[in-house]
Amino acid sequence: MNQSAPLGDNVTGIGRSSTRAEEMQRGMENFPPTSVGTREGAGKVRVQYAKEGHPVGSIPKPVEVKEKLKSALGAGAPPTLMDKLGQRLAFERTGTRLYEALISKHEAYGGFDGGPTREALLEILNEEHRHFAELEQHMISLGGDPTAVTPSANLAAVATEGVLKIVTDPRTSLLQSLEGILIAELVDNDGWQLLCDAARNDGIDDLVDLCEHAGATEQRHLDHVRAWLAAGCAAE
Ligand SMILES: [Fe+2]
Ligand SMILES: [Fe+2]
């Protein structure tokens, strides 16, 4: 099946109809905006709201701080670390869902020369899931709740909404979906690095080990996705 968008009757640009473009221009002159606001005005309103100081979310308090942890880290794991841990956990869970959807694409549209095999996608899916499970264990061992949505997890979910929409849209091909996966894998790579730095700063060595190992795996994912996209684009 064709993996690229076909030539068709796309009328989103004004270049297709110069007469109607002129009509539209005249319409804008006849019916200018009725409000008196400016772009600067909208910015001022945002600043005003920001100054009210409502946070976008809060970091959950520890469910249970084990004695061993108390002695190692004082009152428990630092809130910022728990926030980032929650973010990574949520992202890996979403990553698993993304690869599930990508496998459906492979089934529906088939592969392409130089593109991924079903087995390669399944292997990455299993790795994303394993990362999720490992992070879940770390979250529990640090006294956190792996089901809680931390503020950073919430931000990451909002930021990657578009990727999920691309990959789960039945009209997008495997090649088109890989454009979305590239964004996810780029964020994935940087996200592990940030968590690694935070864990190192807080002296949580087993989490540093996990981050380093997972980071190397994520680099491989990124290399694969880049190569698949390059092959797909070259084949067009
Ligand atoms: Fe991942
Ligand atoms: Fe990944």
Side-chain angles (χ1 to χ4, degrees), residues 107-123:
E107 208 170 299
Y109 289 83
F112 54 86
D113 281 349
T117 59
R118 188 183 192 282
E119 291 67 35
L121 295 177
L122 188 61
E123 189 184 341

Side-chain angles (χ1 to χ4, degrees), residues 99 124 128 185 188 218 221:
Y99 277 92
I124 299 184
E128 302 288 5
E185 290 293 4
D188 224 358
E218 296 296 354
H221 295 177

